[in-house]
Structure formats: C-alpha cells, structure tokens
Amino acid sequence: MTVATRSLEPLLWILFSAGGVLAALLIPILVLLFGVAFPLGWLSPPSHEQTLTLLSHPVARVSLFVLCTLSLFHWAHRFRYTLYDGLQIKHLNEVINVLCYGGAIIGSVWAAYLLWQVP
Amino acid sequence: MTDGAGHTVHHPRWLRPRMSTYWWLQRRSYLAFILREVSSVFIAWFVVYLLLLIRAASQGAAAYQEFLNWSGHAVVLPLNVITLFFVVFHAITWFNLAPQAMVVRVGSTRVPGLLIAASNHAAWAVASALVGWLLLRGQ
C-alpha cells in the first residue's frame, strides 16, 4: 500500500460510515415501496406527475444525490474488504480498488447528471 | 541464497496456516459477518434501481409506467425481495453497532449503549415514516 492510498483511508472510511447511516435510514422504506409493495399491488404508486413534482424539488435532488453517492462509496469500501477477507484475493488489490472506487465515482457522476436534468 | 542476505542455509518454513476460502461457513457469527458485508452489494443494486426510476420519471409518463411494469418482472421483483431482506439486515445491525462506534457522554456519565441504539432505531422509524408520507400522501 502506498503512502497516498494509506492517507486516503480515513476519508474512505468516513464515506463508508456516512453511507452506512444514510442507507440504513432511507433505503429499506424505498425498497419496500418501489421494489415490493408497488409491484405487488399492495399500495398504488405515486402518479407520474407527483413523482416529478417530488423529484424537481431542490431539497429532494440534493438529498437523493447525497444518498446515492454515499451509498455507492459505502458499497465500494465494504465490498473491497469482502473480496479481501471473504474470497482472499488480496493479490488483485489494485484491480479491485479501481473497480470499486471507480464504480462509485462513475455512479455518482451518473446520479448528478440524472438529477440535474430532471425537468 | 547468498551469505549477505542474512539467512541460514536451511531457511525455516513460514508458519502460515492455510485458511479455507469458505472459512465464513464454519460458524454462525462468521456467516452473519459475511452476510453483513454482502449487504453492500444490494445497497449498490438499489442505487442503480433508484437511478433508473429517476431517469424513467424524467423521460415522461410512458417511460415511468414502463419502469413500474418492469419492477414487477419475474427477475426484478424477487431480486428486490432479497434486497429488502439485506437492507433491513444492514439497518438493524448498523444501528445495533452504533453504541460501539459513538461514545456519548453527558457530564461525566456515559450514555448507555442501549439508549444510543434505541435513538438510532427511532430515527430510522421517523425517516421511514417521512418518506412513506411523501410518497403515499396522494392516496
């Protein structure tokens, strides 16, 4: 591990931790509604107009961006160590780092773009 | 091997017991640990799903309806049921761990861990109720 990656470690851990909190607070209810309850017809989903009104609010855009970004960095950090410990593939260290954090960065840019262009 | 390397001629063997790749199946607590770690994959999946929803809503009513239809697909729906299990597991274990991560003191007494965990779970309930209200109030 180089000095540069070692000094990034606390920052990555903070992103992991903050993402863990936000994901725990908000994702279960969102999965329950959009992933399970609406598709199964237990509840009726918000209309397109309602969803768009919610999404176009600046507070919603910023909150969703923060939720997406931090959750992705939470995934990147945790998944990286899952691969280290679970599968013991430490020799692929560099590739894993690039895939995990690179994926989180690409996902964050995609989230920013999508939330920016909500009408 | 050269003399300069500081090794003896008969190099000792390293004591490195080989760990099975499936070590986490040996005990329940190990399995719980690895399941917690794996929950992050489902969190990442949900972010992708959420972004697809946002994209569909931006594209118009037809695309939004198409997304809702797709969410009932024979692969997507079971995947989201599994995702729900993992994200709830993540939330419960995360909040239960909060007392270990944050030590709160009032004056000189330490706030009991149970209280910290309970307040985290309460915050989870409030956040869920708020999101639920925002999404369902039209009904």
Side-chain angles (χ1 to χ4, degrees):
Chain A
M1 197 184 267
T2 63
V3 176
T5 55
R6 198 165 40 220
S7 61
L8 266 179
E9 200 64 20
L11 173 71
L12 294 173
W13 195 87
I14 287 172
L15 292 175
F16 157 76
S17 175
V21 174
L22 269 187
L25 284 174
L26 296 171
I27 292 185
I29 181 70
L30 288 170
V31 180
L32 177 66
L33 292 176
F34 280 105
V36 181
F38 296 154
L40 284 176
W42 294 345
L43 294 162
S44 50
S47 69
H48 177 246
E49 202 183 326
Q50 250 181 306
T51 307
L52 215 53
T53 312
L54 271 175
L55 283 177
S56 56
H57 198 284
V59 174
R61 287 188 209 214
V62 172
S63 318
L64 284 171
F65 175 70
V66 173
L67 173 67
C68 290
T69 303
L70 290 180
S71 298
L72 285 175
F73 275 95
H74 170 83
W75 161 76
H77 200 65
R78 200 166 218 183
F79 190 57
R80 180 186 144 201
Y81 283 104
T82 310
L83 295 179
Y84 283 2
D85 300 329
L87 296 179
Q88 301 181 49
I89 44 180
K90 290 190 178 74
H91 55 286
L92 296 177
N93 209 331
E94 312 254 302
V95 184
I96 291 172
N97 283 353
V98 169
L99 286 181
C100 289
Y101 298 118
I105 292 169
I106 291 171
S108 304
V109 172
W110 188 37
Y113 167 74
L114 286 178
L115 287 161
W116 181 259
Q117 52 97 62
V118 170
Chain B
M1 197 178 287
T2 61
D3 291 339
H7 296 298
T8 55
V9 177
H10 301 289
H11 192 275
R13 286 179 59 200
W14 299 111
L15 178 63
R16 280 183 191 158
R18 193 164 157 66
M19 184 104 103
S20 157
T21 307
Y22 305 101
W23 59 268
W24 38 275
L25 287 175
Q26 287 164 6
R27 273 196 208 173
R28 272 179 73 125
S29 57
Y30 296 167
L31 185 66
F33 165 77
I34 220 76
L35 286 179
R36 260 195 338 259
E37 298 290 294
V38 166
S39 71
S40 68
V41 175
F42 292 92
I43 288 175
W45 152 248
F46 180 72
V47 171
V48 172
Y49 184 78
L50 183 65
L51 290 173
L52 290 175
L53 166 66
I54 293 167
R55 189 180 70 166
S58 305
Q59 283 170 347
Y64 179 67
Q65 190 52 49
E66 209 174 301
F67 176 87
L68 292 178
N69 296 342
W70 176 73
S71 69
H73 186 276
V75 173
V76 181
L77 181 58
L79 178 60
N80 278 330
V81 172
I82 299 168
T83 302
L84 180 63
F85 165 79
F86 273 98
V87 296
V88 168
F89 187 59
H90 163 74
I92 293 170
T93 51
W94 190 270
F95 293 135
N96 284 347
L97 209 68
Q100 267 81 45
M102 50 192 228
V103 176
V104 181
R105 288 177 192 281
V106 176
S108 59
T109 49
R110 185 176 167 174
V111 175
L114 201 63
L115 201 65
I116 295 177
S119 59
N120 274 275
H121 283 282
W124 181 24
V126 170
S128 302
L130 182 68
V131 171
W133 175 74
L134 280 172
L135 291 170
L136 298 170
R137 66 192 155 150
Q139 299 182 15

